[in-house]
Amino acid sequence: MKRYKCTFVVLLVSFAVLSVFSASPLDEDVEVELVLTREGNTSELPCNLQVTHPPDKVSLVEWTKGDDEQPLYKVDFRGVQTQVVPKPEGENRLSLRLVEDKKALLVISSTKVADEGLYNCRVDFYRSQTTFTHVNLTVIVPPQGVQITDELGIPIKNGVTKAYAAGASLILICVATGGKPLPTVAWSRDGEIVTNVTQHFPERFRSQNILRVPELTRSDLHAVYQCEVSNSNQQPPLIVKVTVEMFLRPLEVTLIDPFRFNQTFSAEKKYELICRCKGSRPPPIISWWKDGIPMEGGTISVSADGNTTTSTLWFTPQASDDGLVLSCRAANQMVPHSELRDSWMLKVLYPPKIILHLGHGLQPSSIREGVDVYFECQIIANPKVTRVWWLRDGIRLASNASAGILVANQTLVLQGVSRRSSGNYYCESSNTEGTSRSVPFQLKVKFEPVCGEPNNRKVLGVAKGEPVKIECKVDAEPAARYFRWSFNSTPGISRILKEHTANAGLSILTYQPMSASDYGTIQCWGNNEFGTQRAPCIYHIVPAGRPDPPNGCVVANITHHNANITCVKGFDGGLKQKFIMLVKVGDTEITNITSASTDFEVGNLDAATEYTFVVFALNAKGWSKSGSTLMARTLAAPGLKELRRSTVQSKETKLKGPWMYILLAGGSTLIVAGSIAIIIFVVRRFKVDSPVRERRRSPKRNELSLGPSIQGFTDAGTDDKNPDLIPPPANEALLTAGLIPTAPYTITTRPSQKRNCATQMPVKPYHVTWAPILQSRNCATQTPPPHKESSV
Ligand SMILES: *[C@@H]1O[C@H](CO)[C@@H](O)[C@H](O)[C@H]1NC(C)=O
Ligand SMILES: *[C@@H]1O[C@H](CO)[C@@H](O)[C@H](O)[C@H]1NC(C)=O
Ligand SMILES: *[C@@H]1O[C@H](CO)[C@@H](O)[C@H](O)[C@H]1NC(C)=O
Ligand SMILES: *[C@@H]1O[C@H](CO)[C@@H](O)[C@H](O)[C@H]1NC(C)=O
Ligand SMILES: *[C@@H]1O[C@H](CO)[C@@H](O)[C@H](O)[C@H]1NC(C)=O
Ligand SMILES: *[C@@H]1O[C@H](CO)[C@@H](O)[C@H](O)[C@H]1NC(C)=O
Ligand SMILES: *[C@@H]1O[C@H](CO)[C@@H](O)[C@H](O)[C@H]1NC(C)=O
Ligand SMILES: *[C@@H]1O[C@H](CO)[C@@H](O)[C@H](O)[C@H]1NC(C)=O
Ligand SMILES: *[C@@H]1O[C@H](CO)[C@@H](O)[C@H](O)[C@H]1NC(C)=O
Ligand SMILES: *[C@@H]1O[C@H](CO)[C@@H](O)[C@H](O)[C@H]1NC(C)=O
């Protein structure tokens, strides 16, 4: 130690001289090197070994810490190299490393915070002055952790904030714990510092920075804010990222018209409506409304980015929807008052809807003949109709002033309706959407009952004791339901008949004439709300008899082998009649044909042959007393020239017959005629013929027969033994002999029927009693045909 002090003094003196020229490094304002080390890392503290005056050499390097005199580490180059590990309690964390004789690095492994301090390195040289190096070791402790919380102090999870509404303010607090020195906490977005104002709380080892975004906007959605915590630029900062979540109100709602139907729909057709909403987070609730009333249905789909939501609705517009407002509303549940809507005014086209009205003030139940009726057609249609048609029972009506029909666009006027105006009326109209018709209006023109029989009358042949059903058919609206029947035999005497049924429009009387006095006229009256039938239906009940022969037979056509014969039917005797035609050549019957009508067709005839055709009528009572005869010649076979016998010829033959006969009769003996008349007169007195036969008798006999005829009728139906009733085949001899074909029994002169009829005519048909009716039957040509057919 003594030696060391002496050397030191010597050196100090010698350097004092030198120091006049050079500054001494041992002064107060020494340079201090700064070394930063992270806790736990290895620190290297440099010490300068630079020799100022070579070839001088370092003799000693000694490290001390702070004011501690005790060296930490010492290397003595003099003599044997010695390493001093001071404080034996040292953990061998120190070592010295020489770098090319220029630097001596004190290496501290696993640096601790306690290692901090000012380190001094003293270097002795053999000759040169001792030098000092001062090193300030600072140990940096990194921050322990970083946490981000929201304004309520709730930690952010998974790096995503809770959702904020647009306009809300965002507050995020980034808190760093630990660290020496206390770190800087900075918020940045997209690489740019937003704020780096750090609050330090040393006593709590905390540092924090509060991020404040005063008003979030739509562009802040999914913005990434990052908190960077750092207390050393040698170390990368700690970074925590936060993504901002937001609720966004819908931006736009659109009703889409993909098919360009221009908001115009056809009723009852299906349409796909699409409503699209953009910009809502989370996807909005889309609802459909019609006229302020919510509609069912709607299928939602959300685009992949969640920005676009569409709702699809199948919509079948109704005619009543025309003019209503259809709207689509989108609302974000999370954002109050965020509803947006788009609306359409619906235009619905539909076929006409037609309602038919009976004119104002008209009661359907009180339309009777003669009143004016009008209808109104009420039409609702889109587009508007241009034409209206009126129809009755499917037939289109046109204006016809003479028929009293006036058709104006939507009105139909029927002037003075009659029962024929009854029917189903409706109107029809069309537009681009279709054609419609109204529900038919059944017009029933009310009228009082009228007889349904032709000419109001009918002749019925009835056998005595035989019940007959008489149907009284009455037309009326409403149908007649009450009927009155009466029987008249002698003028002024009538009795009511009660044995009848009454249905709507039809009454059936079962009548059974038991004696001659039961023959006569039956009348029937129907009754409805509008009155009683004025003219009754009249049924002449006559004893059933044999029919009259057909007359007026002609050849309708004749060829080689065929002939068509047609006649006019006569009175049927009050019963259903049919007809038979005998075909003869000479006296020989070739064939016979039966027919329900008076038209005959005969075939298989020989050509060029003269044929005789005799037509009879027959009914249940028997054959007509005579036949109508006709002769005709078939045509010659082709190739042969043969004259055709025409119908005229045959008629001439017929006409010739009576005249010849009359001349003959006149030319022969009047006595014979007189005696025959007397004989007939005598016969008549005891036997009265049927009215059928009456016709062919003289007027004188007719008049005579009036009295006892009641008696006579009783036998009329069965008087087969009457000498005049020659069976038809018996007539053939006369017929073929060219005599009068229709009156084989007649020897008398023609009855003066005209006079007979003339006297009866003034009598009204429905006031006649039984006798005139019988008379009128004889005047076939003068009375209105009271009977064509009869049924039993
Ligand atoms: C120690 O420091 C070195 C150099 O600065 C660095 O590369 C290394 O990562 C550090 N070690 C630790 C544990 O931090
Ligand atoms: C060491 O450096 C730190 C800063 O780096 C300083 O605060 C401290 O006072 C210095 N120590 C000495 C002894 O100079
Ligand atoms: C804070 O940021 C400003 C500007 O960005 C910068 O000038 C300043 O150095 C920063 N302060 C800290 C402590 O990082
Ligand atoms: C809708 O309007 C467009 C243009 O005005 C027209 O071309 C198109 O035919 C219309 N569509 C219908 C269904 O009317
Ligand atoms: C969402 O839609 C709106 C409106 O079209 C648009 O402005 C916005 O950019 C969209 N957002 C996204 C994320 O696509
Ligand atoms: C008008 O009505 C009358 C009587 O019903 C009829 O004869 C005539 O043919 C009708 N005229 C037209 C043009 O239909
Ligand atoms: C009926 O048609 C005529 C022309 O044909 C027209 O001038 C009139 O306005 C129409 N009336 C109604 C009620 O439609
Ligand atoms: C008769 O009938 C034939 C054929 O059936 C026909 O050619 C002819 O014109 C008819 N004659 C008369 C008068 O009807
Ligand atoms: C007779 O009448 C029938 C039916 O009317 C007809 O088919 C036929 O051709 C007619 N015959 C002759 C020869 O005219
Ligand atoms: C009608 O002809 C048939 C045979 O064809 C015959 O049996 C019948 O007697 C004939 N009738 C008359 C009334 O001639």
Side-chain angles (χ1 to χ4, degrees), residues 60 275 315 518 527 547 763:
L60 181 83
C275 177
F315 176 53
D518 291 338
N527 218 15
V763 185

Side-chain angles (χ1 to χ4, degrees), residues 580-582 589-594 623 728-729 732:
I580 185 163
M581 182 173 81
L582 310 179
E589 181 181 328
I590 307 293
T591 183
N592 59 60
I593 297 163
T594 308
W623 291 53
E732 282 172 37

